[in-house]
Structure formats: structure tokens, C-alpha cells
């Protein structure tokens, strides 16, 4: 059964898709996207309770003007888990979703049963990267989300998808364009200010799956493989013909590795 629940969090209300029964698995989307990026994972895994929030400032959740930070997003996830009665969950995050899960591990490790890190990285932004975030946030506030979408789209999807799956390119474009300006600017500044999580990697003690898109230009395999090596119990899988949005670009391949991983828990 699929339901959408509204979960009150500090200063906002989130929309959360909840599907099925069983042990909980939490899906945390990337930027500037929403929970629909997990559509193929939410459709499978019927033995699991799949929980997929729209983060504050994304999708159908409210976009308050207040604070956006990795800590705030992580605390929101705890309120989502509380609201659906999930004490511990397998936590699966893509890119910014991964940054948030690192923060969740720092603040609330007892809520994480296992980790799935897709197309993400542990390092903080460089000074140049921070400046780019601020420029993009200011652009969104000045001209809306459309110019931000045009800058980001080529980096979100791999070359194979961009040349062969124009339908998916349009789906992702529409997803980005739905994002509220406040949430986009808030997320950019939250990512700009996020702490470095490299030191955390050696402290992770839960089973971890690391999934990299072979054509990912934002968090390439050259960054993800060394990250996986620093996590004690990590399994690393590189998915061919996928860019930064591996679960959407190669859903069958991702679902297969995810299925194997979940079966091993
Ligand atoms: C994401 O997909 O969440 C973003 O690309 C992350 C980032 O810009 O660092």
C-alpha cells in the first residue's frame, strides 16, 4: 500500500511517501530533486517498508525561509522516522542525500542500521566550490530555478543517458523546475557550509554499500572508490553507462546490487 503522510518538523511540514510493510528503508534524495527520483526503488523491494521524504524546500514539502543545514535536514529525517514508527532504518542517500546521512551518522547513529551511499562524497566544498554555490543561490533568487536547471542538467545525467534517453532528460528537467527557489537557495548554502566527513568514514561500523555511476562527473568513481576503501565494512559497485543519478539511469542494475546487499544484512 502506498500512502503520503505529512510530517511536521521544526518550522515546516514534509511530505513523505510510505510504501509497504516490513523492515524500514529510508531513501534520501539529492539536489535539486525530490523523492520521485527513487521511483524504481520504491516500486520494488515489496518485503521492505520504503520511506521516501521530500526534504524541506523540495517536492511537495514546505519551503520555509529559515535555516537550511545538514544538521537540520538530518534532524528532519529523525522526525520522519519517529512519525512512521521506525526505530532504525537502512538509510540510502544520493549525493546531497549522502551528505545528510553523514550528518545523521554523527548526530543519531543509533537510527542507522546500514548505509547505502550513491554518487556522493565525504569531502567538504573547496573555497572555489563554496563561491560557486553562492553564485548559483544568488542566480536562483534573482532569476528563478530555470537558469539553475540549465547549468546543472548536463552534470546530473551521464553521456549515455543524455544521448539515448531524452525522455529521462525531460523527466529530470521537470523535477528540477518544480523545486521552489527558497529550497534551492537554502540547499546550496547548506551544502556550501557542510562539514568535511572524511574523518567519519573510518568510524562507520554498519554494513555499507557504495554505488558509483561510471560516467558520473560530479562524484566520479575516482572519488567514490577511495571513499569506500576508508569504510571498514563497505562494498563498492560501479555501474556502467550511468552518470550522477545512477538509481534513475540504471534502475535494474542498482536494484540488483541493492537486493544483494539487503539480503546480506
Ligand atoms: C546532488 O546531486 O545532490 C548534488 O549534485 C550535490 C552537490 O552539488 O554537491
Amino acid at each position: 500500500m502506498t500512502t503520503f503522510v505529512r510530517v511536521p518538523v521544526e518550522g515546516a511540514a514534509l511530505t513523505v511517501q510510505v510504501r509497504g510493510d516490513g523492515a524500514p528503508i529510508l531513501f534520501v534524495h539529492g539536489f535539486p530533486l525530490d523523492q520521485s527520483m527513487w521511483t524504481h526503488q520504491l516500486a520494488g523491494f515489496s518485503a521492505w517498508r520504503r520511506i521516501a521524504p521530500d526534504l524541506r524546500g523540495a517536492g511537495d514539502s514546505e519551503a520555509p525561509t529559515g535555516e537550511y543545514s545538514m544538521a537540520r535536514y538530518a534532524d528532519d529525517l529523525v522526525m520522519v522516522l519517529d512519525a512512521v514508527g521506525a526505530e532504525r532504518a537502512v538509510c540510502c542517500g544520493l549525493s546531497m542525500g549522502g551528505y545528510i546521512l553523514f550528518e545523521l551518522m554523527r548526530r543519531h547513529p543509533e537510527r542507522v542500521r546500514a548505509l547505502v551511499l550513491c554518487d556522493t562524497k565525504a569531502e567538504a566544498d573547496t573555497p572555489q566550490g563554496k563561491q560557486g554555490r553562492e553564485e548559483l543561490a544568488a542566480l536562483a533568487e534573482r532569476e528563478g530555478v530555470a537558469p539553475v536547471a540549465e547549468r546543472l542538467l548536463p552534470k546530473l545525467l551521464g553521456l549515455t543517458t543524455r544521448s539515448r534517453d531524452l525522455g529521462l532528460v525531460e523527466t529530470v528537467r521537470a523535477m528540477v523546475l518544480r523545486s521552489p527557489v527558497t529550497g534551492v537557495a537554502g540547499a546550496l548554502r547548506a551544502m556550501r557550509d557542510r562539514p568535511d566527513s572524511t574523518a567519519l568514514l573510518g568510524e562507520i561500523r554498519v554494513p555499507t554499500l557504495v554505488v558509483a555511476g561510471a560516467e558520473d562527473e560530479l562524484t566520479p568513481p575516482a572519488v567514490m572508490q577511495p571513499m569506500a576503501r576508508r569504510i571498514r565494512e563497505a562494498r563498492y559497485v560501479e555501474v556502467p553507462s550511468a552518470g550522477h543519478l545512477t538509481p534513475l539511469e540504471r534502475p535494474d542494475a542498482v536494484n540488483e546490487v541493492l537486493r544483494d546487499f539487503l539480503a546480506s544484512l
Side-chain angles (χ1 to χ4, degrees):
M1 200 178 73
T2 304
T3 50
F4 284 87
V5 295
R6 202 72 173 154
V7 176
V9 294
E10 181 77 34
L14 306 187
T15 296
V16 183
Q17 184 176 170
V18 185
R19 269 171 103 153
D21 291 314
I25 177 165
L26 176 72
F27 290 97
V28 188
H29 64 78
F31 166 85
L33 307 168
D34 59 46
Q35 56 82 20
S36 68
M37 63 145 287
W38 298 110
T39 185
H40 302 290
Q41 289 67 47
L42 296 172
F45 303 99
S46 53
W48 291 75
R49 182 145 59 114
R50 288 90 77 204
I51 305 157
D54 282 333
L55 296 168
R56 65 171 59 221
D60 290 329
S61 290
E62 287 178 358
T65 47
E67 181 206 347
Y68 287 75
S69 64
M70 292 305 138
R72 175 65 69 207
Y73 288 125
D75 289 352
D76 287 351
L77 292 182
V78 168
M79 298 196 79
V80 168
L81 291 175
D82 285 346
V84 301
E87 205 151 298
R88 283 179 96 211
V90 175
C91 295
C92 176
L94 180 131
S95 200
M96 185 176 88
Y99 310 158
I100 298 169
L101 291 184
F102 289 137
E103 194 61 34
L104 187 69
M105 285 297 289
R106 269 190 289 271
R107 296 169 79 81
H108 311 280
E110 71 287 352
R111 309 304 291 260
V112 182
R113 177 179 171 197
L115 274 175
V116 183
L117 301 170
C118 303
D119 305 288
T120 192
K121 63 181 175 199
E123 291 80 14
D125 281 357
T126 60
Q128 198 189 359
K130 285 179 196 285
Q131 200 183 325
R133 300 283 195 200
E134 186 48 43
E135 283 164 13
L136 216 50
L139 177 67
E141 286 167 340
R142 216 172 43 242
E143 295 177 30
V145 175
V148 176
E150 291 321 309
R151 280 213 207 167
L152 294 180
L153 264 171
K155 297 184 196 152
L156 289 176
L157 296 164
L159 196 56
T160 304
T161 302
R162 277 183 276 139
S163 57
R164 294 200 202 144
D165 193 347
L166 298 185
L168 184 54
V169 174
E170 285 317 306
T171 299
V172 174
R173 187 193 307 279
M175 207 188 302
V176 175
L177 289 175
R178 273 201 303 274
S179 308
V181 168
T182 324
V184 167
L188 283 162
R189 294 188 176 115
M191 289 192 285
R192 175 195 64 193
D193 297 338
R194 76 187 188 279
D196 191 291
S197 295
T198 314
L200 175 80
L201 299 175
E203 287 162 26
I204 296 176
R205 294 285 181 270
V206 290
T208 302
L209 171 67
V210 176
V211 180
E215 299 175 4
D216 186 348
E217 293 167 31
L218 288 172
T219 48
V223 168
M224 293 205 65
Q225 193 165 23
M227 179 182 85
R229 273 200 221 107
R230 299 178 79 145
I231 303 173
R232 191 189 280 191
E233 279 193 65
R235 197 183 284 190
Y236 172 77
V237 179
E238 199 171 302
V239 178
S241 310
H244 189 58
L245 303 186
T246 312
L248 256 183
E249 292 179 70
R250 295 291 317 281
D252 293 346
V254 169
N255 285 5
E256 193 179 320
V257 292
L258 185 55
R259 198 170 300 116
D260 285 351
F261 176 70
L262 293 175
S264 75
L265 295 178

